[in-house]
């Protein structure tokens, strides 16, 4: 079972298609073992073999993943509030949670403006380079903050990679109640995000991606906070 899981976990956001040898290498398994187990995963409907010889995660496995409580409950509760927020802002709207030192995107509603957005439902991105990620990091346990600040990878020329500066931002986020990014994850895209709280716990983050925050920051923050409060009350 552990070896089969290692093969499934070899897939990630940047490795969506893998050859048999790539699967063996990423899972740390011998090629004959990989060949046997991958055959069983294909037969069981967990993987699909493309005509090119590469393997991808099967739709059936994706459907199973959507049954996780954090997926179903939070996404369903948040849906009407996200729709209202989307209609009010016409921006790309994100619902996300923290998974370790990454932000996991549970839902996304695409905006009407032509803004580059790299997130997809189920994708993971760095906490320190995204608006929703910064919000979640600001309310994360200290060990998570320490681990995240120890590896502030530069994604764009504007990504914050100095631990002291990031700690200042996290303090400001807790004080202001929202986080922003300016081309820190993707050039040409800015974001603003707020926490979703259930009681005293921050359970998720709600954010929007826009071309600029120069004029509409206050309006976007207000709209996000209203939506987040609605989600939080429903979750609680």
């Amino acid at each position: 079972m552990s070896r089969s899981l290692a093969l499934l976990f070899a897939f990630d956001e940047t490795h969506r298609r893998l050859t048999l040898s790539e699967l063996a290498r990423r899972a740390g398994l011998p090629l004959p073992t990989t060949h046997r187990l991958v055959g069983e995963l294909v037969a069981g409907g967990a993987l699909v073999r493309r005509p090119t010889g590469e393997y991808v995660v099967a739709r059936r496995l994706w459907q199973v993943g959507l049954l996780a409580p954090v997926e179903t409950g939070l996404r369903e509760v948040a849906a009407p509030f996200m729709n209202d927020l989307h209609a009010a802002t016409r921006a790309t709207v994100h619902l996300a949670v923290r998974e370790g030192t990454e932000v996991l995107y549970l839902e996304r509603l695409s905006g009407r403006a032509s803004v580059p957005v790299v997130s997809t439902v189920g994708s993971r991105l760095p906490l320190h380079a995204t608006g929703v990620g910064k919000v979640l990091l600001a309310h994360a346990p200290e060990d998570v903050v320490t681990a995240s600040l120890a590896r502030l990878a530069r994604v764009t020329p504007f990504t914050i990679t100095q631990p002291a500066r990031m700690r200042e931002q996290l303090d400001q986020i807790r004080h202001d109640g929202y986080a922003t990014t300016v081309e820190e994850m993707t050039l040409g895209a800015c974001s603003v995000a707020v926490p979703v709280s259930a009681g005293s716990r921050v359970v998720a983050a709600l954010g929007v991606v826009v071309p600029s925050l120069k004029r509409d920051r206050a309006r976007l923050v207000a709209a996000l906070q209203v939506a987040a409060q609605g989600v939080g009350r429903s979750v609680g």
Side-chain angles (χ1 to χ4, degrees):
M1 177 67 75
S2 62
R3 290 179 294 180
S4 294
L5 288 174
L7 289 169
L8 294 176
F9 293 155
F11 295 92
D12 60 25
E13 180 66 17
T14 57
H15 299 85
R16 295 174 179 267
R17 297 168 176 262
L18 294 170
T19 64
L20 194 67
S21 59
E22 289 170 338
L23 275 166
R25 177 172 49 80
R26 287 180 58 79
L29 296 173
L31 193 58
T33 301
T34 300
H35 183 270
R36 176 175 59 82
L37 292 176
V38 166
E40 294 178 5
L41 290 170
V42 170
L47 295 180
V48 173
R49 188 177 188 272
R50 295 295 193 195
T52 59
E54 295 174 310
Y55 293 87
V56 297
V57 173
R59 182 183 296 273
R60 185 176 180 183
L61 193 62
W62 174 77
Q63 291 171 330
V64 171
L66 291 178
L67 299 177
V70 68
E71 292 278 352
T72 53
L74 193 52
R75 288 173 73 239
E76 290 174 1
V77 165
F81 301 100
M82 292 183 68
N83 287 328
D84 289 345
L85 182 62
H86 185 259
T89 63
R90 299 186 178 184
T92 295
V93 180
H94 285 140
L95 175 70
V97 296
R98 182 178 62 81
E99 187 165 280
T101 56
E102 295 179 309
V103 55
L104 170 64
Y105 288 84
L106 299 185
E107 189 59 276
R108 166 186 162 177
L109 300 179
S110 298
R112 302 179 191 178
S114 179
V115 181
V117 180
V118 297
S119 65
T120 58
V121 174
S123 66
R124 294 171 175 80
L125 293 175
L127 288 169
H128 70 284
T130 60
V132 286
K134 285 185 183 181
V135 164
L136 295 167
L137 185 57
H139 296 278
E142 179 56 33
D143 61 325
V144 174
V145 176
T146 301
S148 297
L149 296 187
R151 47 181 179 181
L152 297 177
R154 186 178 300 281
V155 184
T156 77
F158 303 101
T159 308
I160 297 174
T161 58
Q162 301 85 8
R165 186 180 170 195
M166 181 55 66
R167 277 201 180 272
E168 290 177 1
Q169 277 209 358
L170 298 180
D171 290 339
Q172 194 67 43
I173 291 165
R174 287 187 288 268
H175 177 269
D176 295 341
Y178 69 90
T180 62
T181 63
V182 179
E183 298 188 289
E184 295 165 45
M185 186 70 229
T186 310
L187 295 177
C190 302
S191 68
V192 57
V194 302
V196 175
S197 301
S200 59
R201 294 184 306 117
V202 171
V203 296
L206 201 58
V208 295
V209 180
V210 293
S212 173
L213 293 172
K214 291 181 179 178
R215 292 184 300 175
D216 295 332
R217 179 187 307 218
R219 180 179 68 86
L220 292 172
V221 169
L224 280 164
Q225 289 175 335
V226 169
Q229 287 168 7
V231 177
R233 284 194 297 268
S234 299
V235 172

